Amino acid sequence: MQILNISGVHIDGISACVPENRIDNEASLREIYGNDASLIIGSTGIKTRYTAAPGTSSSDLCIACAEDILNASGTSADEIGAVIFVTFTPDRLMPFNAAIVQDKLGLGKEIPAFDISLACSGYTYGLYIASTFVKATGKKVLLLDGDIQSAYMSGYDRSTVPVMADAGTATLLSPCKSDAEWKFTFYTDGSGRDSLMIPAGGSAAPIKPEDLEYIPSDDGGKRRNADIFMDGFAIFRFIASDISKWLLNFMKDAGVTAGMIDSFVPHQANMYMIKKLSKKLGFDWDKTWRSGDEVGNSASATVPLTIAFDCRDRLISDRENKVLISGFGGGLSAGAGIITLDPGAYYHFFQYFGKMLKRA
Amino acid sequence: MERFIDLVAEIFEVEPEEVAMDTVFREELPDFSSLVGFSLIVMMEDEYGVKVPVGEFLECKTVGDLYRKCVKE
């Protein structure tokens, strides 16, 4: 197993937001599942989800988080040495979101600014790469991670509707003298790339009018080729089998046990899957941080969102916390990191009403 | 057979004594869902090396039906 080490990096804060529309999952699922809606909620554990109002973009949510964290930490734009945006739902296919962020936040023009396109595994990649830029530039780095999955979802899809949601996050990293070493590892199995995909809209299959027509699915739902397709069982098998073994190997090779780690922050695929995963890894359920039941599965943003959402009662207050983070999903792809979280850093979760306020 | 019962009990979060070969798992064990079904299929693959297609899984009624998939192949 390839483990990448990095030290001398500190997370100054994480800000996360959910968008305007709060969805009662049972009411929403009754439309496609009828009386089985409550069974689905009981199974996935996701009671509430949030989706963006029309016109709210992934950069809108993440910029709101970035402004929040820059204000709270008293960081000025010229202190930022790089900006990295993790998303698979950028505002537009071109240009990339980080360019929008650089302009709207008034960041320096001579900084690296780029997007990383991954799905649920993305935050760990972003955090590792952002850390290397902290080390290289000696400056603070802004890592944004957010998606508007609802822009690519069929409202009648029986796999995606019960779980998927939108969110935005911002993480501010800075150089520090601590010798605490973070460890990262990554995993890719592209043979499973069709298990979670958007069939139309890329260069292999540019959108045609018929891609916007609903096609019945085998499970009784329907979706368009322009919507996210998820083979629920394939993703389940990937996480329950491949990823649980891979994470156990990571912990073994990193020389840690669950007892040596303060908290586990997994991607919030659904509550059933992360409960089973945390048990396999040896973590008490109390040490597994959660947000999915309240806000849904917002792809790679779930890891930083869960930290901001659930840290208040779970961070040990008198020392740096050693935390295992992991994201896993489309690709198939996964990333994991053993990092430290400072209980004195800034963590903030809020609901974004930006567009609504502007309209009002 | 005992090990299989233990694994099924763990998935349903019940005591092994509550599981028998003639247990109709969808009806007699608590909180069956499609995700629990996925867990059973993955367990059979991981522990017994048997890939049970979803269609065949749906035909299984009892814990014994699942067990025979594992020992037959």
Side-chain angles (χ1 to χ4, degrees):
Chain A
M1 172 173 280
Q2 180 171 253
I3 294 181
L4 308 172
N5 299 312
I6 195 158
S7 58
V9 182
H10 179 262
I11 293 176
D12 291 355
I14 299 176
S15 179
C17 73
V18 289
E20 301 92 336
N21 300 327
R22 180 183 187 277
I23 296 172
D24 177 324
N25 223 11
E26 186 166 346
S28 133
L29 294 184
R30 212 170 285 134
E31 291 175 26
I32 50 176
Y33 277 99
N35 291 334
D36 289 343
S38 58
L39 292 177
I40 302 295
I41 311 285
S43 165
T44 63
I46 294 176
K47 295 174 289 192
T48 321
R49 298 178 295 118
Y50 288 83
T51 58
T56 294
S57 71
S58 49
S59 83
D60 289 333
L61 298 185
C62 291
I63 286 172
C65 294
E67 287 173 335
D68 175 55
I69 208 165
L70 294 177
N71 288 338
S73 61
T75 303
S76 62
D78 60 5
E79 291 179 70
I80 301 298
V83 58
I84 301 167
F85 205 125
V86 178
T87 186
F88 74 96
T89 57
D91 291 24
R92 293 189 168 74
L93 204 51
M94 188 171 75
F96 54 99
N97 269 10
I100 302 168
V101 177
Q102 181 276 326
D103 178 48
K104 289 195 174 175
L105 292 181
L107 305 181
K109 290 184 179 173
E110 297 184 356
I111 62 167
F114 58 95
D115 288 8
I116 299 174
S117 176
L118 286 159
C120 304
S121 61
Y123 184 71
T124 319
Y125 275 90
L127 191 61
Y128 176 71
I129 293 166
S131 300
T132 65
F133 275 91
V134 169
K135 298 284 283 186
T137 63
K139 297 185 76 173
K140 296 186 180 192
V141 170
L142 201 47
L143 169 63
L144 309 182
D145 185 344
D147 281 296
I148 306 292
Q149 298 187 107
S150 61
Y152 303 92
M153 280 172 63
S154 158
Y156 311 97
D157 188 304
R158 295 167 75 100
S159 294
T160 58
V161 170
V163 294
M164 287 190 181
D166 305 331
T169 71
T171 302
L172 184 63
L173 298 137
S174 70
C176 76
K177 291 199 168 67
S178 163
D179 56 3
E181 194 169 61
W182 293 359
K183 294 177 182 293
F184 291 89
T185 195
F186 302 97
Y187 182 101
T188 309
D189 179 5
S191 71
R193 62 190 176 278
D194 291 346
S195 303
L196 190 43
M197 68 175 317
I198 301 174
S203 59
I207 288 274
K208 302 186 292 294
E210 52 267 39
D211 291 324
L212 301 176
E213 291 169 12
Y214 284 97
I215 303 166
S217 329
D218 294 340
D219 62 6
K222 58 180 179 178
R223 75 178 155 270
R224 301 160 295 196
N225 279 334
D227 295 323
I228 297 170
F229 161 78
M230 180 167 74
D231 177 342
F233 177 60
I235 298 300
F236 184 95
R237 188 206 310 248
F238 175 60
I239 298 169
S241 185
D242 300 354
I243 292 309
S244 63
K245 291 175 200 160
W246 170 75
L247 281 172
L248 280 170
N249 279 340
F250 175 43
M251 290 165 66
K252 180 166 159 273
D253 287 2
V256 298
T257 62
M260 297 158 71
I261 292 176
D262 296 312
S263 297
F264 174 41
V265 185
H267 165 56
Q268 308 284 300
N270 67 53
M271 309 320 286
Y272 178 87
M273 284 160 78
I274 62 174
K275 190 173 186 184
K276 292 288 179 187
L277 179 62
S278 68
K279 190 175 178 191
K280 272 193 180 171
L281 300 183
F283 289 103
D284 292 339
W285 189 225
D286 280 350
K287 286 175 73 170
T288 304
W289 294 14
R290 283 105 73 176
S291 66
D293 49 346
E294 300 293 333
V295 304
N297 169 351
S298 54
S300 55
T302 63
V303 170
L305 186 151
T306 300
I307 293 172
F309 182 89
D310 206 20
C311 65
R312 190 177 302 275
D313 298 325
R314 297 189 192 271
L315 271 176
I316 298 161
S317 61
D318 58 353
R319 60 172 169 81
E320 291 266 323
N321 287 230
K322 184 180 276 198
V323 177
L324 170 65
I325 61 170
S326 184
F328 29 76
L332 300 169
S333 167
I338 297 169
I339 65 168
T340 49
L341 290 178
D342 178 353
Y346 176 75
Y347 303 101
H348 185 214
F349 170 82
F350 63 100
Q351 188 172 6
Y352 172 89
F353 290 108
K355 295 281 175 181
M356 284 185 171
L357 290 176
K358 278 174 192 166
R359 274 207 300 272
Chain B
M1 195 186 295
E2 270 181 36
R3 175 160 171 70
F4 190 79
I5 295 276
D6 287 347
L7 292 165
V8 171
E10 189 182 338
I11 287 171
F12 279 94
E13 299 181 6
V14 296
E15 295 302 319
E17 294 75 34
E18 297 174 54
V19 182
M21 281 294 152
D22 61 356
T23 303
V24 181
F25 58 89
R26 288 189 189 82
E27 295 168 13
E28 296 175 9
L29 294 176
D31 301 328
F32 181 82
S33 68
S34 59
L35 293 177
V36 173
F38 288 171
S39 288
L40 290 167
I41 296 173
V42 169
M43 177 273 285
M44 292 161 79
E45 186 174 333
D46 273 358
E47 300 290 332
Y48 295 87
V50 180
K51 284 195 175 182
V52 180
V54 172
E56 279 187 33
F57 173 79
L58 292 175
E59 290 168 10
C60 295
K61 305 285 182 225
T62 65
V63 172
D65 292 340
L66 298 174
Y67 179 66
R68 282 185 286 279
K69 294 276 177 201
C70 296
V71 292
K72 188 183 72 180
E73 295 178 39

